[in-house]
Amino acid sequence: MRAELAKSLSITAAHMQHLAAIWRELERRGEDLSDLKSGLWSFMPLIARGDLKAELVVKYAGYTTLLRRLATLPLAEQENLLVDDVVTVIEHVNGAWVEHRKALRDLRSTEALQVINERILPPAEQKRRALSITQRSPRKVADKIVLQAQKLKLDTTAPHKTISATITEDEAAALSAAAQDAGVSVSRIVRAALDVSGLFKKVDL
């Protein structure tokens, strides 16, 4: 059964390569393909340009952030990951840096951004980048936000609402690093920052 599954994946990847070739030809002819930019179709331009292995798209379908980062890698490194997909991730826990070995599909989006950037970053470089990003904020304000995050409580009796915001990959990594350093969730760091800024204060309309 395992052999049959591997064969099916190979056929699917080959089919995607064929579709990518058709996509490339349609683009050359000036066809408007803007209506085919969702789901797996969104990766067709990357496959067509030779930036992303079709096998990876099949293997990690649904892992959008991961696939976008994998597309930054040289094809030789992508091929290596098809054989051995375990990478080293560092995490700041209780004041110390800890290394974890994780399979690609087990990476959180923030970890994929942290580990994959045109190559698989070694632990030392992950640490250096995390420290660099964290130190960009003025220390006094950052420290105040961290302290507030550690004591801020969510009112469980009040109605809750989830909101979204578009930020850069570096900003997401900075938030993740700050949350890890404080031992709290990213959500709590964001709420603490808003609270410290005074935006949570009620105003009369």
Side-chain angles (χ1 to χ4, degrees):
M1 290 180 68
R2 182 182 293 271
E4 283 298 314
L5 177 60
K7 183 178 178 181
S8 297
L9 290 177
S10 177
I11 292 172
T12 303
H15 183 57
M16 290 197 72
Q17 287 281 19
H18 177 64
L19 291 176
I22 295 173
W23 182 287
R24 185 167 56 248
E25 176 60 21
L26 290 174
E27 280 191 325
R28 190 187 68 78
R29 296 181 184 181
E31 293 282 348
D32 180 11
L33 303 173
S34 59
D35 58 327
L36 297 175
K37 290 293 177 70
S38 61
L40 291 180
W41 286 108
S42 64
F43 296 102
M44 281 299 166
L46 293 172
I47 299 173
R49 291 197 302 266
D51 293 335
L52 182 62
K53 299 285 291 183
E55 292 87 349
L56 289 173
V57 176
V58 173
K59 187 173 182 178
Y60 299 111
Y63 294 81
T64 303
T65 300
L66 174 62
L67 286 170
R68 293 289 177 194
R69 298 308 278 185
L70 291 174
T72 70
L73 298 175
L75 290 180
E77 194 150 10
Q78 293 183 33
E79 290 173 358
N80 290 338
L81 289 173
L82 285 169
V83 178
D84 181 6
D85 66 349
V86 178
V87 295
T88 302
V89 185
I90 65 163
E91 183 181 12
H92 201 230
V93 181
N94 298 326
W97 293 97
V98 180
E99 294 185 10
H100 304 285
R101 295 284 288 167
K102 285 190 172 185
L104 291 179
R105 67 173 61 254
D106 294 330
L107 294 177
R108 298 191 297 268
S109 293
T110 52
E111 290 174 332
L113 296 172
Q114 172 185 314
V115 175
I116 308 168
N117 189 356
E118 298 183 349
R119 58 194 178 91
I120 303 299
L121 301 181
E125 188 164 352
Q126 292 180 46
K127 179 181 177 181
R128 181 182 62 78
R129 291 189 178 210
L131 289 172
S132 174
I133 292 169
T134 304
Q135 290 168 358
R136 291 178 192 173
S137 303
R139 269 294 18 116
K140 288 185 178 179
V141 176
D143 289 344
K144 188 175 182 180
I145 290 172
V146 167
L147 287 173
Q148 182 66 359
Q150 290 170 338
K151 66 181 182 181
L152 192 64
K153 302 295 182 184
L154 183 65
D155 184 358
T156 57
T157 64
H160 298 167
K161 185 173 183 178
T162 300
I163 62 173
S164 62
T166 301
I167 59 178
T168 67
E169 292 179 351
D170 278 355
E171 289 165 346
L175 277 176
S176 179
Q180 288 181 12
D181 190 49
V184 299
S185 65
V186 170
S187 177
R188 185 173 289 193
I189 283 286
V190 172
R191 290 182 61 240
L194 292 171
D195 189 52
V196 168
S197 72
L199 290 176
F200 275 167
K201 293 179 180 178
K202 294 182 179 179
V203 294
D204 294 326
L205 300 178

